[in-house]
Amino acid sequence: SSAFFSPIRIISVDIDDNALKILKLNAINLQVEKDILPLCTDVRYLKFTPEFLSFYPKITTIMNPPFGIQNPGADRPFLETAFSISDIIYSIHLAHENVHKFIRNFARKNGWHIDYVLPYNMVLEKSFEFHEKKRKRIDVHLYRFKRIEKPID
């Protein structure tokens, strides 16, 4: 859906090649494949050159990181990468008070703040072996993060 906002470039990062194949098929069907660059990599190793970042001066990151239920802290590399390259970040996380506290503190520690939280009831399709049900509804929050602006002296 990001492609319909006419961005300069969309980079889609996923470690799962099958997810990227589905993305490619959907992009072709929607005739937006020329706008999307799919990268199959682990976000922990994703680095952009200063030249790349200067060519794309305004970067909005939209992500759905792992919730960290099976692997606590799995969302941290996603947040750290987004904090290092983005101007605005939208990120989906479990709707839980402890998660909210962690996200808020982690963002502050990295020079960011949450300026909006949208509660949402998301349908999660079975996509991993540890998922017990074919389909499950879960409460999530869509967070919008903004960089904390430094006061001008």
Side-chain angles (χ1 to χ4, degrees):
S1 63
S2 300
F4 294 114
F5 291 99
S6 301
I8 295 171
R9 170 66 69 202
I10 297 169
I11 300 172
S12 179
V13 179
D14 205 305
I15 199 166
D16 181 356
D17 190 48
N18 289 326
L20 292 173
K21 287 176 184 173
I22 293 168
L23 166 78
K24 287 178 189 177
L25 290 174
N26 289 337
I28 290 167
N29 288 336
L30 295 170
Q31 299 178 346
V32 294
E33 68 275 12
K34 66 180 177 13
D35 300 320
I36 301 172
L37 172 64
L39 298 177
C40 188
T41 189
D42 186 322
V43 74
R44 292 175 295 177
Y45 307 115
L46 183 66
K47 303 291 182 227
F48 294 102
T49 64
E51 293 79 15
F52 176 90
L53 294 174
S54 67
F55 188 75
Y56 298 106
K58 296 288 184 186
I59 296 177
T60 299
T61 298
I62 303 168
M63 63 182 180
N64 181 9
F67 292 149
I69 294 171
Q70 299 297 315
N71 183 8
D75 54 353
R76 290 180 190 187
F78 290 81
L79 290 165
E80 290 168 341
T81 299
F83 291 152
S84 73
I85 64 167
S86 308
D87 295 286
I88 298 285
I89 301 165
Y90 295 88
S91 187
I92 299 171
H93 299 270
L94 281 178
H96 189 278
E97 185 61 31
N98 289 341
V99 172
H100 180 77
K101 287 178 186 175
F102 162 74
I103 299 270
R104 183 188 63 224
N105 293 335
F106 195 72
R108 280 189 194 148
K109 186 176 101 176
N110 285 277
W112 289 74
H113 70 97
I114 299 164
D115 77 329
Y116 192 79
V117 179
L118 175 69
Y120 184 73
N121 187 261
M122 184 168 91
V123 176
L124 185 63
E125 302 286 339
K126 181 178 175 120
S127 55
F128 296 103
E129 287 184 21
F130 59 81
H131 288 163
E132 296 172 1
K133 297 180 181 177
K134 183 176 179 182
R135 176 178 286 157
K136 180 180 178 181
R137 291 192 162 277
I138 57 170
D139 290 324
V140 297
H141 286 157
L142 172 62
Y143 289 88
R144 184 171 76 172
F145 298 90
K146 291 179 105 177
R147 193 179 304 276
I148 296 172
E149 297 198 25
K150 296 179 180 156
I152 300 172
D153 293 330

